[in-house]
């Protein structure tokens, strides 16, 4: 090989290598680094290799000359949001192997990243579908959030919810009903082995007809929850009514995936009991407003959120996107403002899920060393909580995965 050919070969090799990512500086925003942190106006956040390298006031952080600058003057900067209750069950997301990368990216943007979500917890879909979507995100083929999944849910025997039956029929999915306690425990092991990050139980399944709500037997809840905990996985419950809440909280469930207005207002001592047991609540208030029913007034759900927050319990933000086909988060923020203040809402979006799901060392706050998952808002939630829905840009691992106007 001549020297020239060797040099050409080397040049081709270098060209084929990914360029070293340049540092990114987000400049000029009002920064809320954490729910309990004072605002920093005219801030700088410097990102190196997908992590936050420095945080401070303009002038207090040296920005390399060749850094990419994001002019964020007039915007509000927070840590990336978590949506702790979604479903990867739209027609496109439940069969992602048939979707192009572009179509998948568009669907994830419309549902999640466009609303500032850099992490989502999928509370029932299929392990195969969820794994396919997240592998295409981690491969870099598709822009999308970090996906945690509960995979296939656990319904009581005979308890596939009325609204879920058409999905099982249309997509020819195997039943997710519990056949026996042993079989359910074995399925926990299998799903964790396949990558499940949590386990979802329908402790109160809406089956309609004369039964109405089918409650999961306590022994099954206890056995499944214990197996999930043995693997270090959190257990979620769809409770529906008082019996569904009770069997969940008394048998090891960690997180109620909905409030339960059907059971009425929560007295302070009941809310204290939930907080003592470290049971967290995902309010999904807009769900109850979107499907109004006399028996489930949203005002009761708002009261339950307020009662648990006042008792010191954990609130996790979640919308049930995927079951809900309205993805705009404005209504959820408007309703939550009736129960908790904007800083508590920011905690429900960031620090609380990061802590509950074992990532508080890497996500949930803006601080040196943390993953650069960030949201820029066009508006200040301190003034109007619906500003949390006015997302101007979403960054994951320091890269913009959504920009308003694109
Ligand atoms: Zn749901």
């Amino acid at each position: 090989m001549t020297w020239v050919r060797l040099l050409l070969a080397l040049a081709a090799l270098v060209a084929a290598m990914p360029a070293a990512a340049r540092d990114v500086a987000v400049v000029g925003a009002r920064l809320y680094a954490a729910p309990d942190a004072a605002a920093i106006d005219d801030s700088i956040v410097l990102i190196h290799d997908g992590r936050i390298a420095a945080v401070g006031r303009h002038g207090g952080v040296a920005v390399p000359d060749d850094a990419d600058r994001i002019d964020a003057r007039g915007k509000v900067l927070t840590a990336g949001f978590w949506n702790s209750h979604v479903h990867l069950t739209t027609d496109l997301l439940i069969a992602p192997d048939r979707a192009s990368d572009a179509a998948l990216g568009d669907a994830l943007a419309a549902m999640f990243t466009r609303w500032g979500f850099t992490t989502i917890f999928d509370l029932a879909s299929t392990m195969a579908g969820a794994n396919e979507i997240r592998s295409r995100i981690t491969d870099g083929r598709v822009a999308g959030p970090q996906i945690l999944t509960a995979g296939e849910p656990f319904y009581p025997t005979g308890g596939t919810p009325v609204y879920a039956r058409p999905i099982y029929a249309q997509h020819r999915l195997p039943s997710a009903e519990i056949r026996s306690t042993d079989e359910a425990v074995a399925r926990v092991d299998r799903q964790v082995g396949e990558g499940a990050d949590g386990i979802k139980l329908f402790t109160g399944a809406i089956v309609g007809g004369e039964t109405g709500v089918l409650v999961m037997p306590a022994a099954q809840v206890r056995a499944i929850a214990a197996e999930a905990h043995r693997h270090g996985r959190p257990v979620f419950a769809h409770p529906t009514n008082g019996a569904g809440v009770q069997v969940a909280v008394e048998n090891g469930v960690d997180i109620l995936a909905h409030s339960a207005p059907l059971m009425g207002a929560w007295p302070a001592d009941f809310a204290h009991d939930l907080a003592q047991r470290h049971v967290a609540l995902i309010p999904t208030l807009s769900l109850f407003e979107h499907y109004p029913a006399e028996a489930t007034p949203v005002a009761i759900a708002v009261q339950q959120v307020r009662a648990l927050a006042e008792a010191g319990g954990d609130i996790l933000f979640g919308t049930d996107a995927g079951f809900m086909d309205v993805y705009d988060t404005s209504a959820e923020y408007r309703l939550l403002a009736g129960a908790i203040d904007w800083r508590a809402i920011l905690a429900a979006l960031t620090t609380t899920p990061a802590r509950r799901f074992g990532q508080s060392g890497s996500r949930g706050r803006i601080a040196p060393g943390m993953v650069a998952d960030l949201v820029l808002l066009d508006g200040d939630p301190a003034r109007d909580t619906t500003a949390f829905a006015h997302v101007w840009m979403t960054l994951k691992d320091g890269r913009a995965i959504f920009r308003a106007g694109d």
Side-chain angles (χ1 to χ4, degrees):
M1 189 185 276
T2 66
W3 280 109
V4 172
R5 286 182 62 183
L6 181 64
L7 283 172
L8 285 174
L10 279 172
L13 196 66
V14 169
M17 279 162 57
R22 287 198 302 200
D23 288 358
V24 176
V26 183
V27 181
R30 163 172 286 192
L31 169 71
Y32 297 115
D36 56 355
I40 299 177
D41 281 317
D42 200 11
S43 67
I44 291 195
V45 173
L46 184 65
I47 299 163
H48 176 77
D49 260 353
R51 297 238 168 200
I52 295 165
V55 181
R57 212 171 279 279
H58 201 168
V61 173
V63 177
D65 287 341
D66 66 344
D68 287 328
R69 284 170 177 262
I70 296 172
D71 180 356
R73 285 172 296 178
K75 313 299 180 205
V76 164
L77 178 60
T78 72
F81 298 162
W82 294 56
N83 190 331
S84 299
H85 187 156
V86 309
H87 296 282
L88 303 173
T89 48
T90 63
D91 282 347
L92 188 138
L93 295 179
I94 204 166
D97 49 316
R98 293 203 293 267
S100 67
D101 289 342
L104 188 53
D106 286 350
L108 294 169
M111 289 176 77
F112 307 124
T113 56
R114 174 255 166 282
W115 304 104
F117 298 115
T118 51
T119 300
I120 56 172
F121 214 128
D122 159 44
L123 295 192
S125 61
T126 67
M127 283 308 310
N131 279 334
E132 159 87 15
I133 295 170
R134 60 182 173 186
S135 76
R136 281 159 75 176
I137 293 170
T138 47
D139 284 357
R141 290 164 61 191
V142 172
Q146 172 186 216
I147 295 178
L148 306 178
T149 184
E152 284 88 8
F154 290 75
Y155 303 124
T157 309
T160 303
V162 274
Y163 52 82
R165 287 174 204 161
I167 300 175
Y168 282 85
Q170 186 191 339
H171 298 283
R172 298 197 179 85
L173 302 176
S175 168
E177 292 180 12
I178 293 170
R179 288 197 289 276
S180 71
T181 307
D182 286 348
E183 176 268 345
V185 167
R187 178 146 74 90
V188 171
D189 298 342
R190 192 178 77 230
Q191 290 188 192
V192 168
E194 290 169 354
D197 304 285
I199 293 296
K200 169 75 173 292
L201 308 182
F202 281 70
T203 57
I206 301 172
V207 293
E210 270 181 28
T211 307
V213 178
L214 188 63
V215 176
M216 188 177 286
Q220 286 183 349
V221 177
R222 199 158 52 240
I224 295 168
E227 190 66 4
H229 291 160
R230 205 173 63 76
H231 292 289
R233 298 300 190 276
V235 180
F236 299 77
H238 178 117
T240 306
N241 63 9
V245 169
Q246 194 181 359
V247 76
V249 303
E250 289 178 355
N251 293 285
V253 165
D254 304 287
I255 298 157
L256 298 175
H258 297 284
S259 34
L262 197 57
M263 72 182 284
W266 284 352
D269 58 347
F270 180 76
H272 272 283
D273 183 46
L274 291 182
Q276 286 285 307
R277 294 174 186 268
H278 298 287
V279 173
L281 174 66
I282 306 172
T284 66
L285 298 176
S286 45
L287 173 79
F288 297 104
E289 185 178 69
H290 192 72
Y291 294 101
E294 225 172 297
T296 57
V298 68
I300 300 294
V302 172
Q303 186 279 339
Q304 293 175 347
V305 177
R306 190 186 310 123
L308 184 59
E310 283 173 358
D314 284 340
I315 309 295
L316 299 166
F317 185 88
T319 57
D320 215 355
F323 174 76
M324 288 272 280
D325 55 9
V326 178
Y327 306 135
D328 187 333
T329 49
S330 305
E332 191 67 21
Y333 296 123
R334 169 174 50 76
L335 291 161
L336 278 172
I340 53 179
D341 70 12
W342 75 273
R343 287 186 180 276
I345 296 174
L346 182 57
L349 283 163
T350 58
T351 45
T352 308
R355 170 169 51 79
R356 293 293 302 221
F357 304 130
Q359 297 191 16
S360 58
S362 56
R363 288 184 174 83
R365 291 176 301 118
I366 299 179
M370 305 290 273
V371 172
D373 286 0
L374 304 169
V375 180
L376 281 157
L377 301 171
D378 216 346
D380 191 342
R383 265 185 235 135
D384 172 3
T385 52
T386 63
F388 280 122
H390 300 160
V391 174
W392 184 70
M393 188 183 291
T394 305
L395 295 102
K396 179 164 163 264
D397 300 317
R399 287 180 43 232
I401 55 171
F402 168 77
R403 286 172 201 261
D406 272 12

